[in-house]
Amino acid sequence: MKVSGAEIVVESLKKEGVTHIFGYPGGVVLNLFDYLYDAKGIKLLLTRHEQGATHMADGYARSTGKVGVALVTSGPGATNTVTGIATAAMDSIPIVVLTGQVPTMLIGNDAFQEADIVGITRPCTKYNYLVKNIDDLADTIREAFHIASTGRPGPVLIDLPRDISAGMGNFNWPEKVQIRSYNPTVEGNRKMIEKAAEEIAKSKKPVIIAGGGVILSNASEDLRELAELTQIPVTTTLMGIGSFPSVHPLSLGMPGMHGTYYANMAIQESDLIVAIGMRFDDRVTGKISAFAPHATIVHIDIDPTSIRKNVHVDIPIVGDSKNVLTTLNQIVKAGQKTQWGEIRKAWLKQLDDWKELKPMCYRYSDTIIKPQFVIEKLYEATGGDAIITTEVGQNQMWAAQFFKFDKPRTFLSSGGLGTMGYGFPAAIGAQVAFPDKTVIDIAGDGSIQMNIQELATAVVYELPVKVAILNNRYLGMVRQWQELFFKERYSHSHLNTVPDFVKVAEAYSAVGLRAEKPSEVEPVIREALKTKKPVFMDFVIDWKEKVFPMVPAGAAIDQMMFDEEEPKKEARHKKLKAVK
Amino acid sequence: MRHTISVQVENKFGVLSRVAGLFSGRGYNIESISVGETLDPKISVMTIVTRGENQIVEQINKQLNKLIDVIKVQDLFDVDHVEREMVLIKIAPPQEQKAEVLRLAEIFRGRVVDSSPKTYTIEITGDEKKIEAFLELVKPMGVKEFVRSGKIAIAREKSKG
Ligand SMILES: Cc1ncc(C[n+]2csc(CCOP(=O)(O)OP(=O)(O)O)c2C)c(N)n1
Ligand SMILES: [Mg+2]
């Protein structure tokens, strides 16, 4: 029996376990929308911008581990998804984006709302399809989900010409997928893993650098087991935050440009780096030629192209972090008894000394709100039990530095692409997946304006997302660079008029709250957390505040700048409760 | 170092653009690329000639492998193989050199595939050295244009024993 293309698409999505689609309609996808009108067991959430839809699918995927789905129309609808797709690609996030396309016979004619979205997104998808035959629909969707979610995950786009979704065809759901040219290596090479275990036993000053791959492969428990077993300190990259508890005694926090003093020092002094599911991004390594000069490097990654791309690797292990760590832990446990505590004693002492010398800290003020203080209060008020998303800029770095995460999939941030406007829709996507969880977007006043329209989406679907706007009236991170490296020439980084975010929230029938003094911060947060609606919290912060430590671009990561601005005696130097 | 890489790909819509896009997007250089069907019409083979430091070429090989439509990548650098390229040269020699051009073509086992009152079009097949040598010789004799096919290559079968 023949059924409509629209039915095949939607029923295939349901077979893949999809319950939510983020989307926006238009001419060539109307058959799909029509089928969705009364389809059971699957719900489309209407966003206010297609970029929002892709980030929501992404936030949904990051928080759940499932594939996020977006559905948009051709032409401008499709091109509006590009930033969301590129964001997901850079951070290896599994999403499937369905775009409408003009009818097959019009393709190539510059038809109304035609865009070659398959061509446009070829470099920023893991794979993409133009479906030319209705009978291929089910197979294509099955393959797309398989490719998006296996190996190194990533976005897949499926372009659906109108005659494909509007026409009639056969629906045969393939039980299995077999792509002869796609076979990711999941198990690591045992010999290499044994070598890694030997290095671990030999090393006097080892460090683990854990990245987003640990989270993507659900290997947090295995990472923890390895670290505790062999007493190796762990630093988590921006993407790896949550893969290892920040409050764990072996945690070093984040490395790199805005990393902790002790993480960067540990890397530079180490004799062994065990890099897991991370790709030596330049924000992590700083000057490559001066990176970890004494270290033997073990690199575990599912993507062979990540290995030896930019740093020399002594022991490459291609495989899924989960599988490799499981094997590595077995080997370590079966090996000869090592007095791990004993052999690491001096190194762990050294790390404690560094933590003591330069802990993560900021200058507290009684009169003006410091952004780090807001984040500390958010942590206290939620007890850490929240999903945090971020925008990009100083807000992102302060969130990464000062909130504490003990579970994977609770920190969602655009790491690779650094997309302003990501955090708010991503928070909405996460809230859709976890309606009862506290979800907070830690935002900048610039970034929030890049997808502020999605407040309507949050309001309509009663998604009580909270947005903490660190309002410094500046594109703060740009301003910081201009202050430090461009002789304080603040070219176009002042936002001049920032809207009244409280009124904006109210205009959308959400709730707006404002804190202008440190004493108002906690009450505003408590009020927001009590509110069952979306809330914008407008924190008017010290616009002068900068993110420290900072490694200037191109410098080695032990060349860190610290906050020297105010004379110490004038301000109460406040240490955070030590990250021991 | 220059490497000749033979890439088996699914003969699918857009596959050439995926491979070419990989090179342009990552700033790898391509000296030549040629594509054709194989015994199995669902599979094409691309022969790509590229140049780069070892670490870059290692990346190129890995990146090619990572493309979903790529079935197999074989870098022929350390593999005994046969390479061929074809060039079509249109040449308008002065009257007194016409005979010399034809003689050279014969030495190089070329063929005249077209001629007009003023020009010959000559086909030469061979490895790169041979083609370069021929072009070098005839250049002063009035070459108007030439077109090269790009290299194709195939690994030699190992002889037994
Ligand atoms: C879409 C996009 N455009 C530009 C940038 C470059 N950029 C990085 S941080 C930043 C400033 C962000 O300002 P704001 O959101 O107010 O955050 P703050 O740094 O003040 O906390 C800019 C413009 C970017 N990351 N993303
Ligand atoms: Mg700002």
Side-chain angles (χ1 to χ4, degrees):
Chain A
M1 193 190 75
K2 294 212 183 232
V3 297
S4 75
E7 178 171 344
I8 300 177
V9 171
V10 176
E11 294 306 320
S12 297
L13 294 177
K14 283 163 67 174
K15 292 256 185 211
E16 284 294 343
V18 176
T19 51
H20 294 87
I21 304 173
F22 302 93
Y24 208 90
V28 298
V29 286
L30 287 181
N31 289 83
L32 285 159
F33 275 74
D34 187 65
Y35 188 81
L36 284 165
Y37 189 58
D38 47 13
K40 300 270 177 310
I42 192 161
K43 180 175 174 185
L44 185 127
L45 289 90
L46 175 67
T47 65
R48 292 299 179 270
H49 192 297
E50 291 87 351
Q51 185 187 351
T54 44
H55 290 326
M56 286 178 208
D58 172 314
Y60 183 92
R62 289 190 208 221
S63 59
T64 59
K66 298 200 306 197
V67 177
V69 180
L71 166 62
V72 304
T73 192
S74 66
T79 55
N80 271 347
T81 65
V82 172
T83 303
I85 293 172
T87 302
M90 287 292 262
D91 292 343
S92 313
I93 304 306
I95 62 172
V96 168
V97 177
L98 305 165
T99 51
Q101 181 55 280
V102 301
T104 318
M105 55 167 296
L106 288 183
I107 291 178
N109 279 292
D110 301 322
F112 177 63
Q113 294 198 325
E114 178 180 0
D116 173 14
I117 198 63
V118 170
I120 291 171
T121 59
R122 202 167 278 136
C124 62
T125 47
K126 182 168 173 187
Y127 197 63
N128 59 16
Y129 298 87
L130 170 65
V131 181
K132 289 183 161 172
N133 187 334
I134 300 183
D135 292 342
D136 292 343
L137 268 175
D139 283 314
T140 305
I141 291 171
R142 186 88 168 90
E143 263 188 38
F145 275 76
H146 176 67
I147 290 174
S149 58
T150 54
R152 178 176 177 174
V156 176
L157 180 139
I158 307 175
D159 205 17
L160 301 166
R162 195 186 67 199
D163 51 314
I164 299 293
S165 55
M168 303 292 281
N170 297 304
F171 182 27
N172 294 313
W173 183 246
E175 282 314 321
K176 280 218 297 256
V177 228
Q178 247 294 32
I179 308 170
R180 67 174 155 186
S181 55
Y182 175 70
N183 301 295
T185 308
V186 175
E187 296 296 339
N189 178 306
R190 176 137 191 135
K191 284 231 168 62
M192 287 293 173
I193 303 177
E194 279 166 3
K195 269 200 192 168
E198 281 166 31
E199 289 297 331
I200 286 172
K202 269 203 318 220
S203 162
K204 296 215 162 51
K205 303 186 209 171
V207 183
I208 291 172
I209 310 180
V214 176
I215 295 172
L216 291 166
S217 77
N218 301 314
S220 299
E221 283 305 317
D222 312 83
L223 168 64
R224 186 173 177 157
E225 188 180 358
L226 175 68
E228 288 178 350
L229 200 64
T230 57
Q231 289 294 300
I232 305 183
V234 180
T235 169
T236 47
T237 68
L238 186 73
M239 297 310 301
I241 288 178
S243 65
F244 191 77
S246 340
V247 292
H248 195 285
L250 287 167
S251 170
L252 298 175
M254 185 171 70
M257 180 173 273
H258 292 296
T260 63
Y261 171 74
Y262 33 96
N264 285 346
M265 292 306 288
I267 289 173
Q268 292 304 81
E269 287 292 312
S270 66
D271 62 6
L272 174 69
I273 285 179
V274 183
I276 312 172
M278 58 82 70
R279 58 186 175 83
F280 295 99
D281 183 272
D282 49 279
R283 285 292 193 263
V284 168
T285 61
K287 185 180 180 181
I288 284 273
S289 57
F291 178 77
H294 318 293
T296 297
I297 297 184
V298 175
H299 191 179
I300 302 166
D301 202 290
I302 193 148
D303 180 358
T305 69
S306 289
I307 296 177
R308 293 203 176 122
K309 183 177 62 180
N310 42 6
V311 303
H312 171 76
V313 172
D314 302 279
I315 304 179
I317 303 175
V318 177
D320 184 90
S321 300
K322 171 97 189 168
N323 298 54
V324 174
L325 286 180
T326 307
T327 311
L328 179 57
N329 286 338
Q330 280 164 2
I331 293 173
V332 170
K333 280 187 281 189
Q336 53 191 176
K337 289 271 167 292
T338 309
Q339 296 300 323
W340 297 107
E342 247 345 274
I343 64 170
R344 302 279 193 257
K345 203 168 169 188
W347 179 231
L348 294 179
K349 167 80 171 60
Q350 167 73 81
L351 293 169
D352 282 341
D353 290 349
W354 280 328
K355 285 182 183 175
E356 194 63 32
L357 183 68
K358 287 192 190 289
M360 281 307 294
C361 61
Y362 67 94
R363 287 162 211 282
Y364 175 78
S365 158
D366 292 323
T367 50
I368 188 160
I369 301 176
K370 295 287 183 172
Q372 303 92 332
F373 176 71
V374 175
I375 290 166
E376 262 189 317
K377 288 290 161 199
L378 284 169
Y379 178 72
E380 280 171 27
T382 56
D385 185 17
I387 295 174
I388 301 294
T389 71
T390 77
E391 300 295 340
V392 171
Q394 294 178 313
N395 57 83
Q396 178 183 35
M397 291 299 117
W398 287 319
Q401 291 176 329
F402 289 92
F403 203 89
K404 298 187 198 89
F405 298 87
D406 61 358
K407 279 193 282 304
R409 303 193 182 281
T410 56
F411 177 73
L412 321 182
S413 190
S414 168
L417 200 65
T419 309
M420 291 172 67
Y422 168 79
F424 184 38
I428 294 174
Q431 188 83 77
V432 167
F434 297 98
D436 301 324
K437 270 214 142 196
T438 301
V439 182
I440 306 173
D441 172 30
I442 296 180
D445 46 332
S447 301
I448 189 63
Q449 294 185 66
M450 286 215 175
N451 272 318
I452 202 160
Q453 76 285 348
E454 299 307 335
L455 187 49
T457 312
V459 168
V460 168
Y461 296 105
E462 300 181 350
L463 300 163
V465 171
K466 310 292 182 277
V467 182
I469 303 172
L470 304 177
N471 186 347
N472 52 11
R473 283 77 71 208
Y474 270 98
L475 299 172
M477 188 56 96
V478 174
R479 197 202 65 78
Q480 172 166 345
W481 282 57
Q482 290 170 333
E483 179 184 330
L484 298 174
F485 311 116
F486 290 87
K487 305 194 177 98
E488 300 180 37
R489 288 160 53 84
Y490 298 121
S491 179
H492 307 280
S493 54
H494 188 224
L495 288 169
N496 286 309
T497 47
V498 169
D500 180 331
F501 290 114
V502 173
K503 283 193 187 150
V504 170
E506 286 164 358
Y508 276 101
S509 307
V511 174
L513 302 169
R514 178 171 294 121
E516 290 172 306
K517 294 198 295 269
S519 60
E520 292 164 359
V521 169
E522 203 176 322
V524 160
I525 293 173
R526 301 238 170 248
E527 177 69 28
L529 292 180
K530 273 204 314 238
T531 308
K532 296 269 178 285
K533 282 183 168 189
V535 181
F536 273 9
M537 294 173 268
D538 184 15
F539 296 105
V540 181
I541 62 160
D542 182 0
W543 64 270
K544 289 204 192 97
E545 194 65 23
K546 291 188 282 294
V547 181
F548 286 113
M550 177 171 195
V551 178
I557 54 169
D558 48 5
Q559 308 296 305
M560 285 166 272
M561 301 162 71
F562 297 91
D563 188 359
E564 310 286 359
E565 201 173 70
E566 297 165 57
K568 288 222 163 75
K569 57 181 175 356
E570 279 180 13
R572 186 147 61 94
H573 189 82
K574 183 173 185 260
K575 275 191 194 174
L576 273 185
K577 268 151 274 155
V579 192
K580 270 201 233 99
Chain B
M1 281 299 198
R2 174 197 265 174
H3 288 238
T4 302
I5 304 174
S6 177
V7 190
Q8 257 186 35
V9 298
E10 294 287 352
N11 191 1
K12 275 191 193 159
F13 175 79
V15 65
L16 177 60
S17 142
R18 287 181 203 278
V19 171
L22 167 66
F23 279 77
S24 62
R26 296 190 179 265
Y28 305 142
N29 78 57
I30 278 189
E31 290 195 358
S32 77
I33 181 165
S34 70
V35 198
E37 235 180 48
T38 63
L39 258 185
D40 177 350
K42 287 190 173 144
I43 297 178
S44 296
V45 163
M46 296 187 180
T47 309
I48 301 171
V49 180
T50 184
R51 194 185 271 283
E53 313 256 314
N54 285 344
Q55 188 241 349
I56 300 282
V57 177
E58 185 184 327
Q59 266 297 314
I60 292 175
N61 278 290
K62 290 201 249 180
Q63 289 284 359
L64 283 167
N65 253 314
K66 184 171 150 182
L67 290 179
I68 308 278
D69 286 334
V70 168
I71 301 165
K72 191 175 158 209
V73 179
Q74 189 180 25
D75 188 336
L76 296 169
F77 188 75
D78 288 323
V79 178
D80 195 11
H81 65 280
V82 186
E83 290 186 359
R84 285 293 178 272
E85 187 177 355
M86 192 213 266
V87 63
L88 294 171
I89 308 153
K90 198 178 281 174
I91 183 164
Q95 191 58 35
E96 67 278 12
Q97 284 187 318
K98 277 191 164 169
E100 176 65 4
V101 165
L102 293 177
R103 197 181 68 88
L104 283 174
E106 206 175 308
I107 294 175
F108 280 78
R109 295 176 201 274
R111 289 196 304 152
V112 176
V113 290
D114 187 30
S115 66
S116 74
K118 290 217 177 83
T119 64
Y120 295 122
T121 301
I122 298 168
E123 169 201 316
I124 304 275
T125 305
D127 61 13
E128 193 180 346
K129 273 200 201 115
K130 176 173 163 189
I131 286 173
E132 295 287 342
F134 184 76
L135 285 173
E136 226 24 65
L137 285 171
V138 295
K139 255 185 196 156
M141 301 181 184
V143 172
K144 289 182 67 179
E145 60 178 301
F146 63 82
V147 188
R148 298 172 71 152
S149 65
K151 205 184 277 181
I152 54 172
I154 197 164
R156 278 188 205 275
E157 202 59 28
K158 286 191 192 78
S159 50
K160 280 192 211 111

